[in-house]
Amino acid sequence: MSEQKRPNIVLICADQWRGDCLGAAGHPAVETPYLDDMCLYGTRFTAAYSATPSCISARAALMTGLSQRSHGRVSYEDSVTWNYETYLADEFTRHGYQTQAIGKMHVFPERSQCGFQNVILHDGYLHASRARGGVRLELNDDYIQWLREKSGNPTADYFDHGLNCNGFVVRPWDKAEELHPTNYITTQAVDFLRRRDTRKPFFLYLSYHRPHPPLDPPAWALEQYLDKELPPPPCGAWSEQFSSHHTPQRSDLFSGRLTPQKQRRAQAGYYGSMTHIDHQLNRLREAIIDYGLLGETIFCFTSDHGEMLGDHDLYRKGVAYEGSAKIPLVFRGPGIPMGNVSGVPAELRDLMPTLLDLAGLPIPEVVEGESLVRAMQGERDGFKSYIHGEHGALGQAMQWLTDGEWKYIWLSNDGIEQLFNLKSDPQELYDLAAAEPQKLAEWRGRLIEELTGREEGFVEGGKLVCGRPYRASLSHIRTV
């Protein structure tokens, strides 16, 4: 395939977007008309997961095509240097693409390019930069500098309205809508289309910080959900075993229960942020149409992880349950079947080989993900039979496996095992660990295979071992 005929690639990652939160996926409340169109005219994967469901570790899989055993980030840890042999953007740059990242990278050092020719950065609250102290935030976040210039306020900040970057307090955006971070990402993308090199195809990575908190959508987006009937969070009886971890008094709780009023506002803020992004994605699509590029551009929409949003009295991410680990994954563009739905298990490390395959580019041998192009054509054979996920949660390692129909979970300290039939129980209300001993043993055996040889010593004598120390990063990537 000649360079002139290679498709443009637009990879869109919306931070903390649940896999069920699309109208096309049957959600009863969320309004995403333009993403629904993308599903209608493209291919949607119904068993897509983030194997390490938090911001940094998930992006490592997305950017490198590696499993967590190889990229080494098995939970959340800031300020661990990114030094990988190859990145997704490296491959597009190497083969003549103009490569541009806009939005959240969440790498270290913060301005690492990870193979992109140019990065316009907006990482959000910048926890690590603020914690180090003495760092001018505008050096590590282009949005802050832009906001100060556009607003005329030399001290304007992302944090002016006071909402916590991981909390569930909700209020409308406090400035003009065009100054919102979601609009900023789209504005910069539209400007990239204007100034791109028209002789080259482009790889554009758009990484929206929302719907990750702060839950601060524009007033119109919040208000449309405040009086709408919203589904209550599902809560399995098994969740009581984690009640000792509840912190209900915190505004940024991981575990507990919000009051009904606060819960509804949290849902309204979260769903409103999604609808806001949906409209901005249509703004981008219209700009691509204006430049005559729609017929030669492939779009991929996904997320780094989901949001529990009160499911089973849990919030935020990092756990194995569907709200946290399941993500949207949609492709649309030339050569991609329309209206197709695939149940092939997929994960973020599969995006690098899939996008390279769609562009007709070679896939580096080090990549451990697999191209999903055949799955888009309706094939099911020859793909991985399940996904292995993990993350630090509830004071220990939460290890899990799923094939999209069954899910097995093991907690490394408590020794708790759970088994869910996702086909008949997609909300994970009924733990079948006691009722299905043979199925439980089958999935346990698979996890033992996955964890054999790991440095933590999770497996000894062919059995799972509880109480082993667990770190957020494996030793081969730690530099601090």
Side-chain angles (χ1 to χ4, degrees), residues 3 6 89-98 201 356 360-362:
E3 286 189 7
R6 295 196 192 278
D90 270 329
E91 298 308 304
F92 281 102
T93 301
R94 183 177 295 118
H95 289 92
Y97 273 71
Q98 184 174 358
L356 291 173
L361 299 178

Side-chain angles (χ1 to χ4, degrees), residues 69 447-463 474:
R69 182 191 284 259
L447 183 63
I448 289 170
E449 290 180 14
E450 291 289 339
L451 295 180
T452 296
R454 279 278 292 265
E455 63 185 56
E456 301 94 337
F458 288 135
V459 175
E460 190 174 284
K463 296 182 179 180
L474 300 182

Side-chain angles (χ1 to χ4, degrees), residues 33 39 156 178 183 234 340 366 377 390 398 408 410 431 440 477:
C39 297
E178 62 264 25
N183 294 66
N340 187 31
V366 297
Q377 307 300 327
E390 63 182 298
M398 183 176 277
Y408 167 80
W410 176 68
D431 180 1
L440 186 75
I477 66 157

